[in-house]
Every structure is written in C-alpha cells, then in structure tokens.
Amino acid sequence: MATLYGRAADNYVLWEYQKQFASDSNISFNDLDHALFQQVTIEHIFAQTPAITFPAAGFDDGDEYAASNNMVGNLTLLEHREPNLQQQADNKPPTDKARDVYPRSRIPDVQSLSQSINAHGFSKQCIDARTAAFQTFALKRWA
C-alpha cells in the first residue's frame, strides 16, 4: 500500500507532486513560494474519523475505510494558516469540503479536487486512482 502520513518529509513529497501536477495540467504554481509551503499541512480528503454509515462511497466497512485513510490518494496539502482552511475542512465530508473550503486553496491539486468532487463525488475508487497516479509520479521522479 502507498501510505503517506506521519513522516517528516510528507509535506515535501506532496509539494513535489503539486509541482508535477501543475505542470501536467498547465496550471500556474510557484513551487518556490516558501511562505505558502510553510502554510500547508496534510489534508485527509475523507476525514480520519468516518462520518458515514457503511457500506458507503465504495467502502464495505470501517476497517476498509481505515485501511484507505492514510493512502496517498486520500491525502493532499491544504493551508492551515492565513487562512486556516484545514480547520474549516476538519471532519467534513468531501462534498462539503469541495463546495465550501477547497475552492479557496492555492494548491493546484486541491483546486482540481474541488471541481472533480463537485462534478463526480469522491469514493474509495478515487483514492485508488489517485494513489496509482501518485505512484507513477514517484517512480518517474525518484527512481
């Protein structure tokens, strides 16, 4: 599994992914913006504490949800200072985050997530697809 949470380098690894994501998507992103880098932290798209009744969103039960929670496909970066979008997103379902919080982020992946979730929702299958895309990026970037 491609888990990515709880290590000191997680923000850096996801920042590197933002650079590639922005480039691939023709989105303007200043990866040298140190102030923005200092404002971000790891965001769980599906909250660490489930707010759904199973089965739902492609999860059969709480164990399956927990197993997917720290997979890189369920993670992105989000500002936690000036403004504190992380606090505003805390424990909300992905659809609420996409509608109310993610559109205000300066992080390319979060902006794209907002549009995608608003159009199609978010599920375990989305986590799996995002994880596979990240693994492809990581192999190209660091192999």
Side-chain angles (χ1 to χ4, degrees):
M1 280 206 221
T3 60
L4 184 76
Y5 183 69
R7 295 176 198 72
D10 292 349
N11 281 19
Y12 168 75
V13 170
L14 285 172
W15 188 263
E16 288 294 306
Y17 182 69
Q18 297 306 312
K19 288 173 20 179
Q20 188 63 49
F21 178 85
S23 175
D24 290 349
S25 303
N26 291 323
I27 298 171
S28 176
F29 178 63
N30 180 3
D31 62 293
L32 299 177
D33 186 342
H34 187 266
L36 179 58
F37 181 76
Q38 295 293 69
Q39 293 175 359
V40 298
T41 190
I42 302 291
E43 158 68 0
H44 286 79
I45 301 162
F46 272 114
Q48 290 175 289
T49 305
I52 58 177
T53 303
F54 301 103
F59 299 103
D60 292 329
D61 55 39
D63 290 338
E64 191 175 30
Y65 183 95
S68 294
N69 201 255
N70 289 331
M71 291 185 69
V72 71
N74 190 47
L75 305 176
T76 191
L77 295 174
L78 190 63
E79 294 91 333
H80 69 99
R81 292 187 298 208
E82 304 169 29
N84 191 340
L85 298 179
Q86 179 72 38
Q87 184 179 39
Q88 294 170 32
D90 193 36
N91 288 324
K92 289 189 170 94
T95 52
D96 291 358
K97 294 176 184 185
R99 182 189 64 234
D100 302 331
V101 181
Y102 290 175
R104 298 186 317 221
S105 178
R106 294 172 46 204
I107 304 299
D109 181 46
V110 176
Q111 294 168 1
S112 177
L113 267 170
S114 176
Q115 295 169 3
S116 177
I117 293 170
N118 283 326
H120 309 290
F122 197 73
S123 65
K124 180 182 181 302
Q125 291 75 19
C126 296
I127 292 173
D128 294 342
R130 285 174 50 85
T131 298
F134 181 85
Q135 289 172 325
T136 299
F137 154 76
L139 288 171
K140 287 180 185 175
R141 173 68 172 83
W142 288 294

